[in-house]
Each structure stands twice: as structure tokens, then as C-alpha cells.
Amino acid sequence: MEKTNTNQRRDFLKKSIGFAGLSLVPLWDKDPESGTKLEDFFTTGPKNGAGPKKKIAFLTNTYRNSAHADVIGTKLFAGIPTDDGMVEPDVEIVSVWIDQIGDNDTGVRIAKMNNVKVYPTIAEALTLGTDKLAVDAVIYVGEHGEYPKSRYGIKMYPRMNYLEQIFRVFDASNRSVPVFTDKHLAYSWLDSKWVYDRAQELKVPMMAGSSLPYCWRDPLLVHPLGVKIKEAVAIGYASLDAYGFHVCEILQCMVERRAGGETGVASVQGLIGDSVWKAIDAGKISGELVTAACNRIKGHATGNMRELVKQPRAVIIKYNDGTKGAIVMLDEYVNEGWAYAAHADGKVVSTEFVLDHSMSYSHFSYLTLNIQKFLVTEKPQGPVERTLLTSGVIDMGIRSSVDGQKEIKTPFLNIAYNVKGITPILPPNPRPTGQSIGPWPPKGYEFIIPDKFKK
């Protein structure tokens, strides 16, 4: 069984075009502040080489088709589809833990196909059944699953609870290894800060967050370090709880490159309904930037935005250095689209953040490439402080929306950092192409295809 599966995967990788060498697409010759070649943003980075692959514990709330565990974990088992072809993973999953195993679970079967044991506890997955940490790194995917909602309507994913169990094994073993945790650090600010502080105490190399900072951009846009940003907005759809976090990460991955680096957030205000339009009319949110961003979304609806959107939502973010930011959710108008616009260096710039809606879900391929580079090098491809900040901003934005839409002062979000020297892996094209859009999955994994993709 092991030999058959390995050969099938190898054949699938070999039949893909160009997986051995990926193209580079430079935006500028050099980053004016660091001297880094910005072509570095468009490469899969150094391979792990001929040495043994890092051994990874893969932990998740639930593992079913199209869940985050599937669109990250299955790529690390079967190969990573990208614009330039299939990429052989540089890391090896050696243990799996799944909190909720339902009738629609695919993780147990995939683990068995790859001769990987599914352990009953987090501690056993990290120690491989021994009394000490026995893996080189940890991936925790804390998204999806059945969990209750808070009084604010926020799904109370047990991220802090499970990360605490990971940290406990590190503490008992007197050794820490890199940890990637998907999306928020935790559902509440206080839990998020605890996770960050505990990781700092144990000297845990940590990376977290959304797939959106690593997806396609049409047109290609990466602010040069030191850019002067007066105001910026990011556009998305659906709830502030689930998807507002993604939009917040779009905004933050762009504005953190401004002159002086990130300085932290002074206040947050959540708005719902007509309050959003009033904020735009009053100039609290730039209508010019909202329009510029929405116009980049190729699939946006035609017609009057205000007539089409039934329940707009927004979060206004005031940064300590005077920069203005906002995320705006316009469901019926943007039609599952994502975008960004800013007043930068004296002009309006904008781009669509593009996802892959094929069976491959290949925006998670680029997230996965960044995760594995981090796990191999122990250098985060995105600062964990970004996700600490976005976790706090979206929590405060939801609280403000529910508690009268009043501005909340946030001195506790005085989180300063910079991204100098960090070069994330981004797609080489403005929209998905090549192996990114299929065929997927490899032979033997057809059971992960959701009904909506079956012919």
C-alpha cells in the first residue's frame, strides 16, 4: 500500500510542468529600504536539500474535504499545486490529531494511506507516544468544527486551549519547535495575547494567520518598504467573525510596509447598516478608495452599491501614527470578491486579492509553501505580531458593532513591528493558472472531491 501510494504521487508530480524550477516576476529592482530584490517575493525559496525532511505533527479541529485541514494538510501529503506545477513537500507529516472525527471525515483515511498514526491526544501526537517532544515542528489548523458561539456571536474555537497543550509539551521537554497556527491566534483578544506571551516566554518560533496575504493580486502590488500611506481600505464579504479576519489581514499585510513600520492601533469602531454609508459620506471611510477597490473585483455586481447591499458592515481602524484604515464588507456587491486600495505616495493604488475557486484551492498552496519554508528555516514568512494585531482588531470591531457601534480606545493594541527582511512567497501571476487550477486531486485521493465538483 505504501509503495503504490508513493509511486502514484511521484508520477503525478513528474507529469506536472515545471515543478523543478519556478519562474520569477520582479516588481521593482530593489526594495529601497532593505536592498532586498523584490523578485524574492515570487519564488518558492530554497529547498530543504538532500537532508532528512522535518518531521511535522499535524493537529486540527476537524479534517474533511474543503476544510482548512484538507486544503493545507492534504497538499503536504500529496504534493502542492502551484502556477508553475506540482511542488514536492519539504516536510513530512509523521503524526495527526483530530479533535472532532465525523461521518464526513477524510483525515483518518488520508493518514492511513500515508502510514501516519492518528493519535488520541495532542501530547501523544507531539511526543509520538513517548515522554518527550519528538517532532521538529507543529501545524495546528484551528478552523471549522462544531463549537459554541460567544455572547457576541463569535465562534469560540478552542485555539488557546489546544495551543496551551502544545506549549505544555514544549515546557516539559525543555525544547521548543516552530508552530504554525491557522487564522486568528484565538477568538478573543485576551486569549490571543496569552498565546503570544506564552510563545515569547518559551521562545517558540511562531507564524499564524490567513491565506489571503499569500494569494494572487491583480494587478501585482506589493508596497515598497517605506511607502507613505495616508489611508487604506480592504474589501470583502460575509461575517466579521469568519471572513472579516481575512479582510483585516489583507489590510494589515499591506499597510505594515509603510514608513516607520507598524506602530499599533489607537482605536477601533465597528459599524453595521446605514452607519457604514454615513461613515463614507462623512469621510471617515474614503469613498474614493472603496470605489477603487471594488472596481478591481472582476466579478462585482453591476448597479448601485447602496441599493444592492442589504447589510453592509465595516470596521474603522485608527493607527497610532495617524494612518487611517478600514475594512468594508459588501456581500451582494462584491460577490465573493476581495480587494485593497490606498492613498500611497500621493496617488491611489488598488488591487484585487484573487482566490482559486477550483478543486485545488491553490491559494492555500501558497500559504502552504510559506508555512513549510518557515518550518524549515524557523524564520516566519509573516510576522506573528501581524496576526496578534488583527486578532485584537477584529475582536474589538465585533464588540463595537454589537455594543452600540461606539469607538473603542485600544491602548492594549500598541503593537509595533516591522517586516524588513521578510520576503513571503507569492504567486508569479496575477490570477491562478497552470497546475494551480488542476488537475487535482492526485490518483487515489478522489474521495476528497466535494459533491459540487463532481461531474
Side-chain angles (χ1 to χ4, degrees):
M1 184 181 210
E2 179 183 8
K3 184 176 180 181
T4 300
N5 181 67
T6 300
N7 288 339
Q8 287 173 348
R9 183 178 71 172
R10 185 176 295 115
D11 290 343
F12 187 66
L13 292 167
K14 285 181 178 179
K15 288 175 183 177
S16 301
I17 299 173
F19 76 89
L22 304 189
S23 62
L24 304 177
V25 182
L27 292 186
W28 303 277
D29 288 337
K30 288 187 177 181
D31 183 311
E33 184 169 317
S34 68
T36 301
K37 291 183 179 179
L38 288 184
E39 65 184 16
D40 290 343
F41 280 94
F42 305 102
T43 171
T44 56
K47 300 294 287 180
N48 195 25
K53 292 184 177 183
K54 294 241 179 170
K55 292 179 169 55
I56 309 301
F58 189 83
L59 320 174
T60 184
N61 292 347
T62 188
Y63 197 141
R64 57 165 174 77
N65 62 31
S66 302
H68 283 205
D70 172 46
V71 294
I72 296 172
T74 304
K75 290 174 173 62
L76 290 174
F77 280 120
I80 307 167
T82 74
D83 285 1
D84 296 292
M86 291 296 294
V87 175
E88 179 77 37
D90 269 356
V91 298
E92 178 185 4
I93 295 175
V94 296
S95 66
V96 169
W97 173 82
I98 305 171
D99 185 27
Q100 299 178 354
I101 300 176
D103 293 339
N104 60 351
D105 177 82
T106 56
V108 172
R109 180 172 175 179
I110 290 172
K112 185 176 181 180
M113 286 168 59
N114 289 276
N115 296 294
V116 173
K117 184 173 180 179
V118 178
Y119 286 87
T121 67
I122 289 174
E124 288 172 283
L126 267 61
T127 63
L128 304 184
T130 67
D131 60 353
K132 292 291 182 183
L133 181 65
V135 296
D136 300 314
V138 179
I139 295 174
Y140 168 51
V141 180
E143 189 75 357
H144 302 298
E146 298 300 319
Y147 302 98
K149 291 187 176 181
S150 76
R151 65 194 186 281
Y152 287 103
I154 301 172
K155 195 168 185 178
M156 295 189 292
Y157 287 116
R159 291 186 171 98
M160 185 195 76
N161 310 66
Y162 296 157
L163 287 164
E164 191 276 335
Q165 292 185 46
I166 295 168
F167 295 154
R168 190 185 303 174
V169 173
F170 291 179
D171 204 355
S173 303
N174 195 27
R175 182 169 74 94
S176 295
V177 297
V179 174
F180 173 80
T181 182
D182 186 44
K183 288 191 72 174
H184 317 58
L185 291 184
Y187 79 89
S188 76
W189 161 250
L190 290 176
D191 287 2
S192 298
K193 186 61 164 57
W194 184 92
V195 169
Y196 178 80
D197 288 346
R198 185 67 165 139
Q200 292 289 301
E201 179 194 6
L202 293 174
K203 295 181 172 56
V204 180
M206 198 163 187
M207 179 177 158
S210 165
S211 61
L212 269 293
Y214 310 102
C215 70
W216 294 264
R217 301 175 190 185
D218 187 8
L220 293 170
L221 173 64
V222 177
H223 287 307
L225 281 176
V227 63
K228 294 179 180 179
I229 297 177
K230 179 181 178 182
E231 184 171 4
V233 301
I235 305 294
Y237 65 98
S239 71
L240 288 175
D241 178 17
Y243 279 24
F245 175 79
H246 289 302
V247 186
C248 199
E249 290 246 309
I250 288 175
L251 178 72
Q252 195 58 37
C253 80
M254 301 299 278
V255 302
E256 68 191 10
R257 299 181 64 79
R258 67 191 184 275
E262 183 50 63
T263 60
V265 169
S267 70
V268 174
Q269 183 178 12
L271 303 174
I272 300 176
D274 287 342
S275 297
V276 176
W277 308 133
K278 290 177 181 178
I280 292 173
D281 292 339
K284 293 181 178 179
I285 300 173
S286 170
E288 179 185 25
L289 294 182
V290 170
T291 299
C294 288
N295 284 345
R296 286 295 187 186
I297 298 172
K298 286 186 166 39
H300 77 76
T302 57
N304 187 297
M305 179 191 300
R306 300 194 185 197
E307 293 177 357
L308 291 171
V309 179
K310 298 175 183 177
Q311 183 79 315
R313 291 168 298 281
V315 177
I316 297 175
I317 303 158
K318 294 181 180 178
Y319 291 90
N320 288 332
D321 62 2
T323 304
K324 295 171 62 178
I327 66 170
V328 186
M329 316 297 277
L330 302 169
D331 296 19
E332 294 83 3
Y333 189 71
V334 301
N335 290 333
E336 300 188 1
W338 315 79
Y340 167 85
H343 287 292
D345 285 340
K347 60 183 179 181
V348 173
V349 297
S350 58
T351 187
E352 180 180 7
F353 276 64
V354 181
L355 303 189
D356 168 38
H357 295 290
S358 75
M359 179 61 213
S360 303
Y361 292 102
S362 287
H363 45 290
F364 282 97
S365 292
Y366 288 94
L367 173 61
T368 302
L369 290 172
N370 281 280
I371 292 169
Q372 74 164 9
K373 185 174 179 182
F374 158 60
L375 299 182
V376 170
T377 66
E378 301 191 4
K379 296 178 181 179
Q381 292 293 98
V384 69
E385 288 80 9
R386 174 201 298 161
T387 306
L388 176 64
L389 189 60
T390 54
S391 297
V393 165
I394 207 65
D395 183 18
M396 294 304 112
I398 293 172
R399 289 169 183 263
S400 172
S401 298
V402 174
D403 290 341
Q405 304 182 53
K406 297 178 180 179
E407 182 178 25
I408 299 174
K409 301 296 182 182
T410 55
F412 46 88
L413 294 182
N414 291 341
I415 301 164
Y417 66 92
N418 69 72
V419 292
K420 184 175 181 179
I422 297 176
T423 54
I425 301 161
L426 299 181
N429 302 296
R431 306 186 83 83
T433 187
Q435 186 66 46
S436 285
I437 55 177
W440 181 265
K443 186 177 180 181
Y445 287 85
E446 292 86 357
F447 63 91
I448 72 170
I449 300 175
D451 289 339
K452 70 177 182 178
F453 287 105
K454 293 178 180 177
K455 296 180 180 179

